[in-house]
Amino acid sequence: MIAVLDFGMGNIHSLLKAVSLYTEDFVFTSDPNQVRKADKIILPGDGHFDKAMQNLNELGFTSIIKEHVAAKKYLFGICIGYQVLFEDSDETNKVGSTIPGLGLIRGKIRKFEGKPNLKVPHMGWNKLFDIKQKNSKLLKGISNESFMYFIHSYRPVGVDRLDITANCHYYGESFPAVVEKETVFGTQFHPEKSDKLGLGILKNFIEL
């Protein structure tokens, strides 16, 4: 059974519809007991890192997610669910401070900076590069320069290159767009909004 976590970050209707294309064995839930029983967890949503971690902590999901991963069960983070996989973020209202993430992937979430000719958030279609298909379970059937749909102002930095299975170029830099570490997977883009190729990524995870 797949548990799609309801932790108040919104914008999940299209994800639930996409998951339903490939399995009926899933729930959208904020019930910790249901999440504990899940074979796979999907951590979706849009929004603010600080609020996302606050909600995960208050709902008791933080420890459950870590137990889930320690048991070698699959986890897939999407957009803000991707960013909270990392060590910390400076997306907070307290200047100069950071908010701890789940710490499942090495790296820190920081804002795109210093390019007045480019817009933040990074929003719309962009290409994946440097795809490591041989090392990837998530990107089976996905080729270099495939387009995916992004919407974000922050990105991971300082990520172990062995955990990165695809990059994206924006703001004059290359940033990790897909990470995979043992049973932990994540995409900065929304696969459920990325047409057939994005749906293929979601299908790959569901069929693991």
Side-chain angles (χ1 to χ4, degrees), residues 1-6 27-42 56-75:
M1 185 264 287
I2 300 173
V4 182
L5 265 58
D6 177 8
V27 291
F28 178 52
T29 182
S30 59
D31 181 352
N33 291 323
Q34 280 192 309
V35 178
R36 282 193 177 94
K37 296 174 184 177
D39 303 304
K40 298 184 178 80
I41 292 175
I42 298 178
L56 288 173
N57 290 330
E58 289 178 354
L59 289 165
F61 283 157
T62 301
S63 59
I64 293 172
I65 290 169
K66 291 180 179 181
E67 290 166 9
H68 180 90
V69 172
K72 303 298 182 184
K73 295 195 285 186
Y74 291 113
L75 171 67

Side-chain angles (χ1 to χ4, degrees), residues 169-184:
H169 302 328
Y170 190 68
Y171 235 59
E173 67 177 81
S174 177
F175 68 88
V178 184
V179 294
E180 302 182 40
K181 183 177 182 180
E182 298 178 350
T183 60
V184 179

Side-chain angles (χ1 to χ4, degrees), residues 191-206:
E192 76 279 10
K193 297 180 181 179
S194 298
D195 205 31
K196 291 181 181 179
L197 291 177
L199 292 176
I201 291 173
L202 193 59
K203 182 174 184 282
N204 287 341
F205 175 76
I206 291 169

